[in-house]
Amino acid sequence: GGIETKIKLVVSAVTPTILLMEIFKEFNSQFPKTQIELIFKTFEEPLELLLAGEADIVVTSGNQQTNEIERIKWNQIEFIPVTTPYHEAANPNLTEEELYNLTHLVVGGRATLAKKASASIVENANVWNITDFLIKKELLVNGLGWGYIPKQLIERELREGVLIQVPSKDKLLKQLDLVRKKSDYHGKASNSLWQIFLRYNNNINPKIQKINYSALIQPLLSASEANY
């Protein structure tokens, strides 16, 4: 009947899982027999898997452009540079060079930092390479450095003052896009999942603003994604 038995969904590791849960509940009520294979991946990897024919729909922050794909801006994720109130990075008078000489926790390490900073900073920075956001969060909470992390993962810590924004660095926004191949056949289930994702698009639908991020279900982020 044109209904797929399985859909392979590859998403950026910073995709808010509370949104995914709402999307999946709605999808599962419509297509209870269609399996979802859900994979969290890194910066450019979701798009690479899509182009290689190994994914049906992806949520990605990768900006690779090609005529093969249909791409819609989906959601923006706020990243906050944080540390503990007692860490040296909490000093508002630090220069950029002084800040980067302090332990900088980066998911993806120097290769990731190189995409965001000058060559001199990357060369001289004191970088710890982290592969998991939850471990990065624990390191930050325990005063072992500073780094960018998605706001939805640290709302409670910010509210309670366990973590604070690094005074000398600004917040950043990462754009997540919803992408699929134009050339592939999209069955009933795949098209429905695509449309449900669009209903949770904060660029066009205020519904997403009502989501209680403080109740976030934290993902098992074992991928290198933040690009920060």
Side-chain angles (χ1 to χ4, degrees):
I3 298 176
E4 303 91 330
T5 57
K6 182 166 74 171
I7 296 173
K8 191 169 184 178
L9 178 65
V10 182
V11 302
S12 161
V14 298
T15 306
T17 52
I18 193 168
L19 294 185
L20 292 178
M21 297 309 108
E22 294 298 318
I23 289 167
F24 293 156
K25 283 189 286 187
E26 186 173 339
F27 176 80
N28 192 55
S29 69
Q30 297 178 26
F31 300 94
K33 294 184 178 180
T34 298
Q35 301 174 42
I36 292 286
E37 183 176 349
L38 176 63
I39 302 171
F40 286 89
K41 279 293 185 178
T42 64
F43 181 47
E44 292 282 359
E45 286 180 302
L47 199 51
E48 291 170 355
L49 289 171
L50 179 72
L51 294 173
E54 298 179 30
D56 298 304
I57 298 173
V58 303
V59 175
T60 180
S61 59
N63 56 15
Q64 184 178 346
Q65 297 295 333
T66 169
N67 291 331
E68 294 180 63
I69 60 175
E70 177 182 2
R71 185 182 196 123
I72 295 176
K73 291 187 182 301
W74 187 56
N75 282 292
Q76 288 186 325
I77 304 300
E78 185 176 13
F79 280 79
I80 303 179
V82 295
T83 189
T84 61
Y86 310 107
H87 192 274
E88 292 176 82
N91 182 351
N93 299 315
L94 286 179
T95 65
E96 186 173 50
E97 182 179 357
E98 289 170 335
L99 179 64
Y100 279 95
N101 279 330
L102 301 177
T103 302
H104 184 195
L105 308 177
V106 181
V107 175
R110 290 184 182 274
T112 290
L113 184 59
K115 300 184 180 82
K116 301 294 178 181
S118 67
S120 60
I121 284 180
V122 175
E123 182 179 351
N124 299 322
N126 178 10
V127 178
W128 284 21
N129 179 19
I130 314 299
T131 59
D132 185 303
F133 269 118
L134 300 183
I135 295 299
K136 180 175 180 177
K137 175 181 173 179
E138 291 301 313
L139 292 170
L140 289 167
V141 166
N142 282 280
L144 292 171
W146 72 276
Y148 283 89
I149 197 160
K151 180 181 177 181
Q152 73 260 18
L153 294 182
I154 54 168
E155 285 192 325
R156 186 180 69 180
E157 287 77 11
L158 289 172
R159 192 166 55 248
E160 296 176 354
V162 176
L163 293 174
I164 63 169
Q165 182 174 340
V166 173
S168 56
K169 299 296 288 184
D170 295 327
K171 300 175 183 179
L172 297 172
L173 290 176
K174 178 184 290 296
Q175 177 67 49
L176 294 181
D177 293 345
L178 186 64
V179 188
R180 65 182 178 180
K181 269 189 171 183
K182 294 177 182 176
S183 57
D184 288 353
Y185 168 76
H186 305 298
K188 293 179 181 178
S190 179
N191 274 323
S192 178
L193 183 59
W194 178 267
Q195 293 302 321
I196 295 170
F197 261 96
L198 291 183
R199 288 202 290 277
Y200 285 84
N201 181 338
N202 69 356
N203 294 286
I204 61 175
N205 192 337
K207 175 180 180 180
I208 197 173
Q209 302 300 335
K210 298 178 182 179
I211 294 292
N212 179 9
Y213 279 94
S214 64
L216 182 75
I217 304 169
Q218 293 187 348
L220 299 175
L221 298 178
S222 57
S224 321
E225 165 59 25
N227 313 312
Y228 298 113

